[in-house]
Amino acid sequence: MKKFDIIAKKKLFITIPVAILACLLIFTMIFGAEVSIEFTGGTIMTYSYTGELDFSRVASEIESLEFGSVTVTGGSAFNADVEFINVAFSSNEGLSAEQLSEATASLVSAFPENNIALENSQNVSPSTGMRFFMKCLVAFVFAFILFIIYIAIRFKKLGGWSTGVFALIALLVDVMVVVSVFIFFRLPIDAIFMAVVLAIMGYSINNTIILYDRIRENKTLFTGKKTARDLVNISVRQSLTRTINTTVTTAAALLVLSIVAMIYDVNTILNFAFPMLIGLISGVYTTLCLSGTFWVMWQERKKT
């Protein structure tokens, strides 16, 4: 049987996220990101309607009014036959009452058979959106700091703070992958994005802790008998089945959810489930291929 040596492919494992980051930066510079008005400011209008409605035609009708760029998404009410559609305008000042009335009249006139009715409208100022963004950013930074402190204390025998930094790097790769999904598939950067990132951080750090627990146990078991490379290879092999089985269970549910949401055009659920699915896969990759690899590289560097 060929010897299991995941550390031997460390250059490949590190090159993959670097390549993804490079592609992300190039793609973002060329095409930009779909940032929700929750962050940029604008107006959100929610309409109820019946029957079938072509969202692309709705977007074209609204765009003809030249009020600014518009995004159209849909949703359903589970306890009624009424459907909902969200029309979001990105602007610095929001729409006036006259503009709201004009947009509603335009939709009612263009789709008379769908019984379109305005249910709610909300203006979001750019300053409010920026405050919301900063609060989310603070939440991320605070979570990262807590993760580093926790891992540094729990795995003091493995290196303490350095171990926490390696786990943080793996988390940043997972965040980068989630960002890539939102950018490449033109999904809006909004509160759903924040929820996905925080959820992925939780899954990923849990997998990393399991791996580091194995490394710590094996280090005690094979005191002085195994190199850092051997300890990580053994630990990855031991945790491989559990990590994959746990992830496959959740990933299968998210895959089904993504397919159903795509079939029924429920964008809100799809925008959460699909990036979450990719993030879970990334979490397995960073745990098995990067977290231990960084630790080995550090241990070998300390000996030189």
Side-chain angles (χ1 to χ4, degrees):
M1 181 178 178
K2 188 176 181 180
K3 184 179 178 181
F4 183 90
D5 189 1
I6 199 168
I7 307 301
K9 300 184 182 299
K10 61 183 179 182
K11 290 184 178 179
L12 173 63
F13 294 145
I14 295 174
T15 300
I16 291 175
V18 171
I20 294 176
L21 176 59
C23 293
L24 173 62
L25 292 176
I26 294 173
F27 193 92
T28 304
M29 287 188 294
I30 296 175
F31 299 102
E34 294 288 336
V35 182
S36 170
I37 67 172
E38 294 175 14
F39 295 147
T40 61
T43 301
I44 302 176
M45 297 185 295
T46 301
Y47 293 95
S48 62
Y49 69 95
T50 57
E52 298 292 331
L53 195 60
D54 186 343
F55 289 179
S56 61
R57 285 186 57 201
V58 172
S60 298
E61 183 68 26
I62 294 295
E63 287 173 350
S64 66
L65 300 176
E66 298 183 352
F67 291 158
S69 60
V70 63
T71 302
V72 177
T73 57
S76 302
F78 293 103
N79 59 348
D81 295 330
V82 177
E83 302 286 329
F84 292 95
I85 186 171
N86 293 316
V87 179
F89 292 93
S90 179
S91 63
N92 292 329
E93 299 178 356
L95 299 185
S96 64
E98 292 76 13
Q99 290 174 318
L100 287 174
S101 299
E102 184 178 351
T104 301
S106 177
L107 290 178
V108 171
S109 175
F111 306 95
E113 69 281 3
N114 294 111
N115 300 315
I116 293 178
L118 179 63
E119 299 293 334
N120 183 45
S121 65
Q122 179 183 9
N123 283 331
V124 180
S125 68
S127 59
T128 301
M130 182 55 64
R131 286 197 298 269
F132 179 52
F133 175 78
M134 294 305 298
K135 288 179 181 179
C136 292
L137 187 60
V138 169
F140 288 153
V141 173
F142 186 67
F144 281 135
I145 293 174
L146 287 181
F147 285 149
I148 292 178
I149 295 174
Y150 173 74
I151 293 177
I153 295 174
R154 179 165 178 174
F155 299 104
K156 187 176 181 180
K157 293 183 178 180
L158 294 183
W161 291 105
S162 61
T163 308
V165 172
F166 302 145
L168 174 61
I169 294 173
L171 281 178
L172 290 175
V173 172
D174 294 328
V175 172
M176 178 192 69
V177 170
V178 171
V179 172
S180 300
V181 173
F182 275 84
I183 297 296
F184 293 154
F185 291 92
R186 316 307 295 163
L187 304 179
I189 305 295
D190 55 10
I192 293 177
F193 166 78
M194 302 299 178
V196 172
V197 170
L198 290 174
I200 290 302
M201 286 171 58
Y203 272 99
S204 181
I205 201 67
N206 180 65
N207 289 335
T208 300
I209 288 173
I210 292 173
L211 176 62
Y212 283 161
D213 265 330
R214 287 290 189 180
I215 296 175
R216 182 178 58 183
E217 292 170 2
N218 287 323
K219 186 177 182 180
T220 302
L221 181 64
F222 300 106
T223 304
K225 299 179 181 179
K226 299 289 184 181
T227 64
R229 180 182 295 256
D230 292 332
L231 288 174
V232 170
N233 283 329
I234 293 171
S235 301
V236 169
R237 185 174 66 246
Q238 291 173 342
S239 60
L240 182 64
T241 301
R242 183 188 185 282
T243 300
I244 291 180
N245 287 344
T246 303
T247 303
V248 165
T249 303
T250 308
L254 288 171
L255 178 60
V256 172
L257 193 61
S258 298
I259 294 173
V260 172
M262 187 179 300
I263 292 174
Y264 289 97
D265 198 25
V266 185
N267 292 328
T268 302
I269 295 178
L270 182 62
N271 291 353
F272 176 84
F274 179 65
M276 188 75 180
L277 173 61
I278 304 301
L280 281 179
I281 298 173
S282 173
V284 174
Y285 175 83
T286 55
T287 296
L288 299 178
C289 301
L290 295 182
S291 297
T293 299
F294 291 143
W295 183 77
V296 170
M297 293 172 63
W298 179 253
Q299 296 302 312
E300 292 178 347
R301 181 181 177 84
K302 289 197 301 183
K303 292 182 179 180
T304 59

